[in-house]
Amino acid sequence: MAKDFTTREDNYSQWYNELVKKADLAEQSSVRGCMVIKPYGYALWEKMKSIMDAKFKETGHSNAYFPLFIPKSFFSREAEHVSGFAKECAVVTHYRLKVDEGSNSIVVDPEARLEEELIVRPTSETIIWDSYRNWIHSYRDLPILINQWANVVRWEMRTRLFLRTAEFLWQEGHTAHATREEAVEEAQKMINVYADFVENYMAIPVIKGVKTPNERFAGAIDTYCIEALMQDGKALQAGTSHFLGQNFAKSFDVQFLDKDNNLQYVWATSWGVSTRLIGALIMSHSDDNGLVLPPKLAPIQVVIVPIYNKLEQLPAVSEVALKIKKELEAKGISVKYDDDDNNRPGWKFHEYEFKGVPVRLAIGPRDIQNNTIEVARRDTLTKESMPIDGIADNVAKLLDDIQSNLFKLALERREQMTHEANTWDEFCELIEKGGFVLAHWDGTTETEIAIKEKTKATIRVLPFEYTPEEGKCILTGKPSHRRVIFARAY
Amino acid sequence: MAKDFTTREDNYSQWYNELVKKADLAEQSSVRGCMVIKPYGYALWEKMKSIMDAKFKETGHSNAYFPLFIPKSFFSREAEHVSGFAKECAVVTHYRLKVDEGSNSIVVDPEARLEEELIVRPTSETIIWDSYRNWIHSYRDLPILINQWANVVRWEMRTRLFLRTAEFLWQEGHTAHATREEAVEEAQKMINVYADFVENYMAIPVIKGVKTPNERFAGAIDTYCIEALMQDGKALQAGTSHFLGQNFAKSFDVQFLDKDNNLQYVWATSWGVSTRLIGALIMSHSDDNGLVLPPKLAPIQVVIVPIYNKLEQLPAVSEVALKIKKELEAKGISVKYDDDDNNRPGWKFHEYEFKGVPVRLAIGPRDIQNNTIEVARRDTLTKESMPIDGIADNVAKLLDDIQSNLFKLALERREQMTHEANTWDEFCELIEKGGFVLAHWDGTTETEIAIKEKTKATIRVLPFEYTPEEGKCILTGKPSHRRVIFARAY
């Protein structure tokens, strides 16, 4: 356990906050609820971004950029949308500051009031569909498959680094289609793209499915989601993809002439993931020694630390270390060789362990004599001596092992923390313990809200894959044909 | 000349506006002064971004992300900074909307007024130096070499797509150093990085130098810049790098203990380029047939168009075309094969010409018989028949030729449009004609402003490279030891 570092058992929430700061991922800024993403945290986001961006392009999407500001009136057009976002948005009312002549201080110039207030985008459906109206006239203009990487603002009252911040970074896909079927297919395709990314790169198992009406995106017909389970037994929504029907097309009057020359409203989807995923990554794999990163996302995959007593020994060690570095890099592995003489090896071991570097190599004069190198893996905290010959192949294999081991551990944990509840008491007890609780529900929003009020648990997802089963709602006893997944959530 | 397309001679400004729209690069949004960057325009920005990003990383910089919002009081701390930006900024005053019970419309909730107004960043020196205060304690924490890719807002009254918009995308580097020398060196290094990018990728020759005090960034000690000349004879500032001295460190109280244990203020630089560069790119190379893109930045470098009379001929043509596409792609060339049967070859030729695709290949049954292919280059609008054998090598070479030809043409044009003025009348005449005017200046801001008022020309740059020469100020006749560059500018 690292010094001055809270354990998960002691206080999971404090452990998380300290980890984010001490691993140099992010910190609070002077602006309430807005974070500074530090270089190491941003390098992680860049890796995530570039992998997802490639996947979006492979599935036919292009990037574009729409305005940061949304006229207030646009919001009002889609009734559910405005009620979903109006309570937490940053409003621009003026466009100039001036020096107050009396106090000589800088004040907002009252004469520079905007005719119509602008909202800093919390999501861009409205401003984008306002543009799409001019882009879409005929079925030949469809589909439109666009993604945007952007910052958005939601004025959350209680914020936590990465998990819930007033400003966050995300991507938002916005697509337009000629038919309902095509739009539904797109929304489902993208939830699968997200699931692939989160499982195979972030090493976090997810459950794919659909949200209840109460948990839907404001303005959607259906919200598909991927739900993950954190180490403390709380659920985290890792990504959503919405089938928006014709709601935004109708609000913004976007119609097209179909092949039979009939005017029809356009069908829409939107889908997004955000820097919140970094929070999920931390809470899935990290431990009381700090961050644990899956190799596919680690900004530094391998660190090499030279071991020596006297500075004169360093050049000979460096020669071998740099040769190994080159071999690893030739395999596309990102390597840092830390020969900074100001810090001792023990300090470096701790530093890179805390920052979650998947593999650490340590090499000194004796290793060179023996033609071996010490290899430590971050996930299991074990180390072994390996021959220098063939080290690049072995490290590459080890990185693969760590990647799949992290997924396996997370999956096992989720399975251990997933239970069926058949009575209300059992349900309350399981919810209190944490984890996913599979239970019957009568299908009404009323019951869903009542359960949430009593237990703080929400219905996380109605999984796509499930076994039909007759049962009785955990709260009302009314008939139900399937179990749904309840949990307390981030 | 394309139909419905204004020529440069007819109306250069209208030509530009039409080109941006018709080439599908960008359009005005419903929000005053904010643009929508469309997929083709954004693909161009992505290419520019990825090349520059790699150059920033090669020179030791890391990316990070700082808040969109800046507390009003931060602005006031650096006196020149606030006077430079206060007159054109978006001010957030509230954080909630509500339904007005009387009118049932959405209004700003007067109870959700922020205690301190937030400014949407026009540039991030203040919020970043507020963070740096906590990061920097000792000389060991220096240098800090950080870059941010972000959106910024400056409430410009007269906007033009890419050239001047209320919101734009940019990168801003912010570095912190232990010594003045190191900071000056960094600021100069980055102006050289920009010059390398603009000349060798954008194919636009630039003049490197320093701005006069009057044209400096608000808060800088020195502003280095690269200045380019557009086809209409107006100058465009393509990038700036600022030596900020200790101004921001003093305003935000950022001090460090040096090696001798003395407390000192930190030295700073900042540097940025923006989506404005896309405007420069268009105005440097494009012609009355539309966009002309340098191959190194073109999202599509080569388009292949099949020529056929009957649809039955297409498969045989496609077979050869796709083989050529594969060969080109193996050389890292981005290729589009447009076999859309809905559009005729003539339409396609026009379309890709207008969009500035550097090389167009056209191939039909007769070409296949002759084992040739028609190769057209966008820069010269010439075409020739080439053997299919070795086509990939020839096209790769052609792309290189186009890249260097565009630079050569732009350089020749600049040379033709650069003149020395030795009398006031000569100066006025040359400024009216357009281009760079080399003239003597007495070194005072007063004279600089007087010249601007009389001629609308500003001093664009005091070039790093110049020949000392005794002369007399073009306006006041006072002694001067060098010529500086005047021009009207975007």
Side-chain angles (χ1 to χ4, degrees), chain A residues 86 137 380 392 449 472 485:
Chain A
H137 305 288
T380 57
I449 292 172
K472 285 177 179 174
I485 297 186

Side-chain angles (χ1 to χ4, degrees), chain A residues 30 46 63 65 93 130 167, chain B residues 30 46 63 65 93 130 167:
Chain A
S30 291
E46 278 182 312
N63 289 327
Y65 188 77
T93 55
D130 179 63
E167 182 191 15
Chain B
S30 292
E46 277 182 312
N63 289 327
Y65 188 77
T93 55
D130 179 63
E167 182 191 17

